[in-house]
Amino acid sequence: MESAPSALKIEFDGVTTVLGDEPVLHRLRLSVPDGQVTVILGQSGCGKTTLLRHLVGLLPPTGGSVRLDGRDVWSLTSAELVSARGGIAAVVGGSHPFDSWLFSSMNVYENVACVLRRAGATDDEVHATTAPLMREFGLEAFARSFPEEIPAHARRRVLLAQALVSGMPLIVLDDVDTALDSRYTGAIVRAIKSVNEKARATVLITANDLDFAREVAHEVAVLWNGKIVSHGPPDVLLRGVRTGEEFARRFFRTDLAGPLCRDVVEGGLRGGEPARRFFAIDPDLPVWWVVALLLLVIVFVFWSSAGTVFGGP
Ligand SMILES: Nc1ncnc2c1ncn2[C@@H]1O[C@H](COP(=O)(O)OP(=O)(O)OP(=O)(O)O)[C@@H](O)[C@H]1O
């Protein structure tokens, strides 16, 4: 079997996305370290799947760039894109139903094993890698069944198993903990850690469960209002955050510029002025600018009142 290439570094740089009439991402920046497990958290509909679709070559962003080891995914030729995709094992949902990623003509065992076979693995190598994972994922009993013959929750585990045995340098798993039978959560966490440690794969995941993120991630990134608003190790970022309400209170701060609006996104894309709003502050404005401005105002107010109190006639 061919050896796996080294892990890949991912950079989202100023990624902006408008889908139909809806602004989804706005000048989003995120550096995903190679050889680590990164989990993106954020409320439903905030654009997590959209971000992954930009990365795996399914949907071009409206603006900005997505780089894989320094190469912009959306500047590659189609042949280069196909070759880049060959190093990515992805389970990405969104408008693509998960089931469509399985081969209906192959049984469950062959679906899990197909990437290994394509990489030239022998029957023994395929069995040694695939069988233990299928046992852990509760798929042994379905090995000879075809995808449409097994329950939907088991089909999701087939997809996860297929990605996690693939030995690819980049593994992208969308909504990994959604509709997941809790009996298999531990097995999936172990499999992700194992592929990351043994194969040094870069793993990028979107998830909803805070404990799942804590257990599996080296880094957590929080997506809110079209941007990554926080990024860091889970024990620091999620310290003291237990519930969804606590998570929302900590990260979903009220943005002085208001919610993401189409006029702002499109204004930014044209490079022109975004439509003006009452008391609009660009959220990209460095904090020290705002602090310097406030200090100036305070000094001015103090100076003018001191003049009145002490220096007046
Ligand atoms: N093809 C499309 N056309 C128009 N709008 C879309 C399209 N695909 C997604 N959207 C919208 O874009 C927004 C982001 O969707 P996305 O699926 O990326 O969110 P998400 O964070 O992954 O949500 P979830 O956690 O529920 O899977 C949503 O409001 C969704 O309705």
Side-chain angles (χ1 to χ4, degrees):
M1 189 165 60
E2 293 163 23
S3 62
S6 60
L8 296 171
K9 181 173 169 44
I10 304 160
E11 283 161 295
F12 298 97
D13 190 2
V15 171
T16 293
T17 312
V18 180
L19 292 175
D21 268 353
E22 194 180 345
V24 179
L25 304 174
H26 182 46
R27 294 189 207 157
L28 178 146
R29 282 191 189 84
L30 174 66
S31 235
V32 178
D34 54 330
Q36 299 218 333
V37 180
T38 299
V39 174
I40 301 176
L41 295 170
Q43 62 187 172
S44 179
C46 71
K48 301 182 295 293
T49 300
T50 303
L51 193 62
L52 298 190
R53 292 179 71 204
H54 293 330
L55 170 66
V56 299
L58 288 173
L59 176 77
T62 320
S65 63
V66 182
R67 292 192 292 272
L68 253 183
D69 264 0
R71 300 176 76 201
D72 184 352
V73 173
W74 293 98
S75 300
L76 301 176
T77 62
S78 357
E80 287 169 334
L81 183 58
V82 169
S83 147
R85 272 187 188 162
I88 305 175
V91 181
V92 178
S95 55
H96 294 263
F98 285 102
D99 299 354
S100 69
W101 293 63
L102 291 176
F103 297 104
S104 55
S105 57
M106 288 182 186
N107 65 29
V108 164
Y109 181 85
E110 288 305 327
N111 262 291
V112 174
C114 64
V115 186
L116 293 173
R117 290 210 191 279
R118 207 175 54 209
T122 63
D123 280 348
D124 285 348
E125 285 169 336
V126 168
H127 185 75
T129 316
T130 306
L133 197 75
M134 287 188 61
R135 202 164 36 248
E136 284 247 299
F137 280 27
L139 295 171
E140 232 177 3
F142 301 125
R144 290 178 185 280
S145 307
F146 288 87
E148 69 271 21
E149 295 170 344
I150 68 173
H153 60 87
R155 280 203 293 273
R156 271 186 60 71
R157 297 200 302 280
V158 177
L159 281 160
L160 294 174
Q162 188 188 62
L164 289 165
V165 297
S166 68
M168 294 294 180
L170 174 56
I171 296 178
V172 179
L173 306 174
D174 188 24
D175 268 339
V176 68
D177 53 351
T178 298
L180 190 63
D181 186 328
S182 57
R183 279 176 298 170
Y184 303 110
T185 309
I188 287 165
V189 168
R190 280 194 296 281
I192 293 171
K193 285 186 164 174
S194 158
V195 76
N196 166 252
E197 280 157 19
K198 289 191 191 141
R200 279 250 322 127
T202 303
V203 186
L204 182 60
I205 297 172
T206 70
N208 299 291
D209 187 82
L210 297 174
D211 287 333
F212 183 91
R214 264 191 197 96
E215 272 195 66
V216 82
H218 295 109
E219 293 272 322
V220 169
V222 180
L223 178 53
W224 160 247
N225 210 21
K227 288 175 192 265
I228 298 296
V229 291
S230 268
H231 185 209
D235 53 337
V236 176
L237 213 69
L238 301 178
R239 186 179 297 143
V241 180
R242 290 274 140 212
T243 63
E245 287 77 35
E246 285 168 352
F247 182 81
R249 262 203 305 279
R250 178 163 301 179
F251 297 110
F252 301 167
R253 54 187 182 227
T254 308
D255 195 331
L256 284 178
L260 197 54
C261 291
R262 191 176 175 210
D263 54 359
V264 174
V265 172
E266 291 191 337
L269 278 177
R270 281 194 304 271
E273 278 280 292
R276 297 218 169 272
R277 271 180 287 159
F278 180 64
F279 199 50
I281 290 181
D282 183 350
D284 283 340
L285 202 65
V287 173
W288 62 266
W289 281 28
V290 178
V291 172
L293 197 67
L294 279 175
L295 277 176
L296 261 177
V297 171
I298 290 167
V299 167
F300 178 75
V301 169
F302 184 76
W303 176 77
S304 51
S305 59
T308 312
V309 175
F310 303 115

